[in-house]
Amino acid sequence: AQKVTQAQTEISVVEKEDVTLDCVYETRDTTYYLFWYKQPPSGELVFLIRRNSFDEQNEISGRYSWNFQKSTSSFNFTITASQVVDSAVYFCALRINNAGNMLTFGGGTRLMVKP
Amino acid sequence: KAGVTQTPRYLIKTRGQQVTLSCSPISGHRSVSWYQQTPGQGLQFLFEYFSETQRNKGNFPGRFSGRQFSNSRSEMNVSTLELGDSALYLCASSLLGGGRDEQFFGPGTRLTVL
């Protein structure tokens, strides 16, 4: 069975601070995909990034960066110079290769960025 | 391109009733998945439909069912509602489902059971 753990349930930072959201996953499958989604108060999940298990390169997109480490089964997400608009709940999710579109989500981390 | 749409956005029902939620995927997408989100259990996978066939099912009782039509629109039904069914129900669509496919989520239907 798959499992995703986001140990940080809530994080509060002041604008312009850097913040890292942790994600640890468990799966026996060798082919899988990892995702991060953002859920603003409106409720809709917004896709941020997808990573497959064979690509451990870190990725940067503007103020966002992701650190994928298979050795520790972690896929952490860093926001640099946080802004108030980054306030949301962030979910890490796992999809194994032979499970269609079934995503296993972590419990989410609520990020509050204060001005 | 229009995004995933879900109707209704809000719904209030009483225990014992049944409810039907609707999801229209992005044009051309053939896979539709449903998720339940509650404060206690988080986001949980309900089921996935692809080309009118259920391809995957989560660990939910038989009161939860769904279907997909030939135009890829999907409905989910919950019969004999319980208080614990109060949740945000999210629908997601993707082109084919699985692999490198990216899922796009709708705004959700918030169901309140009284």
Side-chain angles (χ1 to χ4, degrees):
Chain A
Q2 288 67 244
K3 186 178 179 182
V4 177
T5 302
Q6 294 179 254
Q8 307 146 309
T9 53
E10 202 166 292
I11 300 176
S12 181
V13 299
V14 176
E15 208 170 18
K16 296 184 185 174
E17 280 186 25
D18 298 348
V19 58
T20 295
L21 310 183
D22 298 332
C23 172
V24 174
Y25 62 93
E26 295 175 31
T27 180
R28 291 183 182 178
D29 286 70
T30 55
T31 303
Y32 52 88
Y33 297 84
L34 295 162
F35 300 80
W36 275 94
Y37 284 89
K38 174 182 180 180
Q39 188 176 44
S42 60
E44 187 170 339
L45 284 170
V46 177
F47 168 83
L48 295 177
I49 190 171
R50 173 190 59 231
R51 252 304 173 249
N52 75 52
S53 52
F54 298 108
D55 182 2
E56 285 192 73
Q57 274 196 329
N58 291 331
E59 182 155 337
I60 298 175
S61 176
R63 296 184 298 107
Y64 295 170
S65 63
W66 292 269
N67 184 337
F68 175 30
Q69 292 195 338
K70 282 178 79 170
S71 60
T72 55
S73 297
S74 65
F75 186 42
N76 297 336
F77 172 32
T78 297
I79 301 175
T80 303
S82 60
Q83 300 175 2
V84 173
V85 293
D86 295 328
S87 297
V89 181
Y90 291 86
F91 290 95
C92 179
L94 167 70
R95 186 177 74 207
I96 62 175
N97 199 39
N98 296 323
N101 256 342
M102 185 176 75
L103 289 171
T104 299
F105 282 91
T109 297
R110 181 177 298 279
L111 174 64
M112 292 179 290
V113 182
K114 299 176 182 175
Chain B
K1 226 178 196 182
V4 178
T5 58
Q6 293 187 244
T7 56
R9 292 293 312 278
Y10 301 91
L11 208 46
I12 300 176
K13 292 285 188 179
T14 56
R15 277 183 301 173
Q17 287 188 310
Q18 77 165 25
V19 67
T20 299
L21 313 182
S22 180
C23 171
S24 293
I26 292 172
S27 177
H29 284 194
R30 292 167 62 189
S31 167
V32 173
S33 300
W34 289 88
Y35 293 84
Q36 181 197 63
Q37 185 176 21
T38 60
Q41 300 299 316
L43 274 158
Q44 293 185 288
F45 173 79
L46 279 156
F47 27 64
E48 178 195 0
Y49 286 87
F50 179 78
S51 292
E52 302 178 66
T53 301
Q54 187 180 87
R55 185 155 70 172
N56 281 298
K57 190 177 191 306
N59 190 24
F60 278 82
R63 299 186 297 107
F64 292 82
S65 63
R67 59 177 175 168
Q68 187 180 34
F69 302 94
S70 58
N71 62 358
S72 293
R73 189 177 71 84
S74 176
E75 288 181 348
M76 68 162 278
N77 184 278
V78 188
S79 62
T80 320
L81 284 166
E82 300 176 0
L83 295 179
D85 297 333
S86 294
L88 179 66
Y89 290 88
L90 292 163
C91 162
S93 79
S94 70
L95 202 57
L96 297 173
R100 293 178 53 83
D101 253 14
E102 181 182 319
Q103 288 186 73
F104 296 86
F105 282 80
T109 294
R110 187 165 295 281
L111 170 66
T112 301
V113 182
L114 302 176

